[in-house]
Amino acid sequence: MLYTVLSLYLFTDETTILPKGGGPSTNRPKRSHHQPGWVRGHQKDGGDYSKEMPKYITAGGFARARAAEVKAMLKAVTKRPASCHVFETLPKHMRRRAMSHNTKRLPRRLRLMAMKLKKKEQTRSKSRKARRRHGNLLLEFNRRQRKNIWLETHIWHAKRFHMVKKWGYCLGDRPTYKCYRPCYRAMSSHCLLQDLSYYCCIELQGEEDRLLTGLSQWCVFSGPTFAAALCLSGRRQGSVVVYRAGQYPSQPLGPVTFLWRPRTQGSTHRQLWIWAHPTLKQVLSSINAVVPVVVPEPSPAEVTPTVDSEPKPKTTPGAKRKRSSKDQSGPPAKKILGDGTRSPTTPVTWKSNVTCLICCLMCCSDLTMEIIRYRLIGPQSHTVITEAFEAATSCDPSSLWWPEHCKDENKMHLHQQQADVFHLLKGIFSTAELPPGTILGLTVDDPRLTLPTKKVKALPCVKQVDEEKRRELVLSGVSEHCCQSFLWDRSVRDNVIDNKISEQELNRMRSEVLVPGSRLPVPPQGRVPVLLVHQPGKQVGHEMSSWGAGWDLLLPKGWGMAFWVPLVYRGVRIGGLNMSLKHSQNKSAPHFPHDYPDCPAGVHFQEEQEAELLDKFKRRPPAKRTNYIKHGCLAPFCCPWQQLAEEWEHITREGGEEREGAGRSRTTTEADTVMEGEVATPRQDVTMTMAQRFTVLRNRKSLRLLSGWCKPTTSKGQRACRLRPPPPSLDLSAVKSFLTSHRMTLVWVRLSLLSGGKPELHGIVCVPTSEDLKQLKAPGAVGPQEPPHKDHFKSRIKRKKSSKKAAAPSLPSDKTVEKETELSSASDPNIPITSSSPLDLVLGLWPDPLPSVASHCSRLTLGWVTQGDFSLSAGCGEALGFVSVPGLLNTLQNQPMEHRGTVLLRNPTSLQYRFAKINIEV
């Protein structure tokens, strides 16, 4: 065959024809494309190569070259492409559809290759039964947790909730079924359950004096600190807003809660747990300025969930990631405990040996996901807890932790006192009766042993208890020695995790019970230490005191579902992240990080929210979008707090009364031309000269004074609330002295609509004129309307679209854009001069930089709304937000006493103003 191919090449290929003449010549002139002759390949200029053809060839080299070509040709014919099947290599007259299913119909020479291909395809997709095996499921779940950590209740939530990925976790946002009103009823009359295990927990250990000295740098000396007397003794939970060391009040970090371990006799060593939002975990690295302990970020290798150090089984390139049923030699799949970045029994701990501000040796441990935290909200939270759990009983001695503690009479006496206090909770009518922040340590039996056969709603049943003890519990709370808990000891937590009873063992015990549904005997390893922390609920204002009170349940890791299911079986409602926001809204409390615009986490959240809302706005067709320029809304997706504070500081400095009177007398046309033209040098100069950043007023003394000046009323604004100490008169001297230290300051307020309406996110809070207040006296007064504004950028956007269609597909240069901007500004003098190009304009949105946010509309702007909805508790629309302190004082000073504290509220998508009453709750 090779001889035949060589013969064909020798007698038919043009390369074998040798020209006449002598040997090879290297200086042959280039032949033009008009001259005939041999040309190898395609030349751009139509000529041949500069090198001349050889006069002779070598037989051996020529045969080897032709043999390589023949080999490549045969390989290309016999090799099957990756995308086709084996039967496609057959001639068309031999192909049958049945060959793709039955390999025996193929010729014998192709059966082996077809069987290998079919076997490879079968290994890619196993049956559902194989995929749902316990080991394969765990391996798949562990792989899916590499980027976002799962809570122990993740699978339970994933079947019933819309899941979102936030802060490095996969959390439940809202349920798939409608339950907004049922969840509110649960918080108001029964119980709502939430999983807060994603909160980060930092443990500090050291000398008591050194800890207080270092932690005092974080707090405000005039407010609550870590050294509060009740919190120091370990009887109460404390909460405080922490700041960077020595930077109060300009650089807050965020709110934290903390627990002190009760003192032990003759020891000055203390233990402290600090609970913070997950966004604060990275910010808490600023502890290096006070405490020389830094919480480092885990390396990429540590982020991958690993629960053991055993080598992983080797996998072939074509095999699946999951374990096959035949491979039984590898290590079994294990469930991830904790955050998956550490061994189940090895915590992340750092020790400091550097001398800093506190000059001591400290130890800092990261207990995130090591301690599970459940929150029960509602007046019957104590009823659910007392029905779901039972205090542990003594047992026979063994090697476990609880039998060892049973040998000590003092420890058993303490446990009996804690059990008595726990039984006293059954005689309390509402959870709100207890002192705020009460802590109770307890050891309970495994709640799975007393799990009911079906869901039963826990109802209040006030039993006959000692009235004197109950009254003492309500007035004084839990004694200090009853706050002790074995949950503080790491060795006890590890013992409880390692000796947990498996579900298989529990099912076996249930099958051996003579009477189905009866209580199972408690094994020695069925005792769990817990901590019950009381949550006070609403603590500000004059209405709905203690609304939303409940309990926080702290557990060791690995016991999440063992306590979650018994609580669900007691008829509680389950809430997600959305209900946490609604809970804060009904309490009139700021929610972190939504309502902390002066914190780094709040700034980051506002940027993310703005990008999300802007992307949602751009996805709608242009004809279906709201034109916020015509509605007079400069920032519909964000709140420029810094610009608002700077403008009001400038207004109060130059005289707010004259500017306010001029602003009220302007018409809509003048406001569009003059006010928008004020974006020029004066505002920019003020912004450049003022380097001070705005702050949020959190001083309680100043808040009480400002609240009295606002004349607080009920939630619907119907009647005034009684104030025991009357506030001083609101005169010019009092305002000047107050503004001396609160010029660039915002204040958290609650707004109650006096008429119908539902406030929305980023609603505008404005100052009413004297004519508006006269309309308030008329029956059925709704409020004034904002005159429509003119969209100056609409013509520019249309011109840009028409120029795009007529011009070439290439983008215009910078000179063309500048020339187009100059021409458009010259043709329409009412268009404000901005630095943005026509390519950056979005229909219906103001480009950067923004004009004056305080005087853009016909009414002066005081602030914006951060939370707004119809309040089921108040029966009217309520909003929460921030307003400028100088602007608020200027407004209160110019209002009569009967209308003091009345403002206007307008949604971004509406021109209708509505009257609202402003309240500052302390």
Side-chain angles (χ1 to χ4, degrees), residues 637-656:
F637 306 136
C638 66
C639 301
W641 303 113
Q642 182 69 22
Q643 185 176 351
L644 178 70
E646 291 175 355
E647 290 181 6
W648 271 109
E649 201 279 338
H650 184 69
I651 291 174
T652 54
R653 177 180 297 180
E654 296 185 357

Side-chain angles (χ1 to χ4, degrees), residues 321-342:
R321 283 187 293 260
K322 304 176 186 176
R323 286 168 51 88
S324 61
S325 57
K326 297 181 180 180
D327 186 13
Q328 300 293 343
S329 59
K334 296 182 180 180
K335 186 178 180 180
I336 293 179
L337 296 179
D339 62 355
T341 63
R342 68 195 76 172

Side-chain angles (χ1 to χ4, degrees), residues 157 161-164 166 171-175 575-580:
H157 280 90
F161 275 69
H162 295 283
M163 308 301 291
V164 294
K166 281 188 176 183
L171 306 174
D173 183 37
R174 63 192 187 281
L577 297 177
N578 186 29
M579 291 314 299
S580 296

Side-chain angles (χ1 to χ4, degrees), residues 727-744:
S729 60
L730 184 62
D731 52 4
L732 186 60
S733 60
V735 172
K736 287 184 178 180
S737 61
F738 193 89
L739 289 179
T740 303
S741 56
H742 302 100
R743 285 191 175 275
M744 294 281 296

Side-chain angles (χ1 to χ4, degrees), residues 39-226:
V39 177
R40 185 178 62 180
H42 175 71
Q43 307 298 321
K44 293 182 180 180
D45 55 353
D48 58 352
Y49 289 89
S50 59
K51 190 173 181 179
E52 194 180 32
M53 281 188 60
K55 298 297 184 180
Y56 54 87
I57 61 174
T58 306
F62 181 81
R64 285 192 297 271
R66 301 289 81 76
E69 292 182 0
V70 171
K71 184 178 180 181
M73 182 175 58
L74 293 176
K75 183 179 180 181
V77 173
T78 56
K79 184 179 179 181
R80 181 185 62 84
S83 60
C84 67
H85 296 278
V86 176
F87 65 90
E88 293 181 4
T89 59
L90 296 172
K92 290 187 177 181
H93 70 279
M94 294 181 62
R95 297 180 187 180
R96 298 292 183 272
R97 183 176 298 178
M99 293 181 180
S100 60
H101 304 285
N102 189 2
T103 56
K104 292 184 179 180
R105 290 180 174 270
L106 288 170
R108 291 185 178 180
R109 60 185 179 85
L110 300 177
R111 288 180 187 177
L112 183 61
M113 187 183 302
M115 291 177 63
K116 290 181 180 179
L117 179 63
K118 188 174 183 180
K119 185 178 180 181
K120 184 177 181 181
E121 292 178 352
Q122 287 179 352
T123 57
R124 291 182 181 176
S125 58
K126 289 186 178 181
S127 63
R128 187 178 185 275
K129 182 178 180 181
R131 295 195 307 268
R132 300 294 297 177
R133 289 195 184 103
H134 184 67
N136 293 341
L137 272 180
L138 285 182
L139 286 176
E140 180 66 15
F141 291 162
N142 295 347
R143 183 189 64 83
R144 290 163 59 182
Q145 296 183 56
R146 292 175 183 172
K147 291 184 179 180
N148 297 281
I149 301 174
W150 288 5
L151 305 183
E152 294 189 10
T153 59
H154 171 82
I155 297 178
W156 192 96
H157 280 90
K159 295 178 180 179
R160 301 165 178 87
F161 275 69
H162 295 283
M163 308 301 291
V164 294
K165 297 177 181 178
K166 281 188 176 183
W167 314 308
Y169 296 90
C170 195
L171 306 174
D173 183 37
R174 63 192 187 281
T176 54
Y177 49 88
K178 296 180 180 179
C179 70
Y180 176 73
R181 289 178 179 268
C183 285
Y184 172 77
R185 287 195 296 267
M187 288 188 291
S188 301
S189 59
H190 194 250
C191 182
L192 179 80
L193 178 62
Q194 290 178 319
D195 188 358
L196 302 183
S197 302
Y198 57 89
Y199 270 64
C200 65
C201 178
I202 304 298
E203 182 184 61
L204 296 179
Q205 298 184 32
E207 298 295 329
E208 180 178 318
D209 298 338
R210 304 295 187 181
L211 281 173
L212 294 178
T213 305
L215 295 174
S216 62
Q217 305 290 331
W218 287 10
C219 309
V220 186
F221 295 101
S222 61
T225 62
F226 287 92

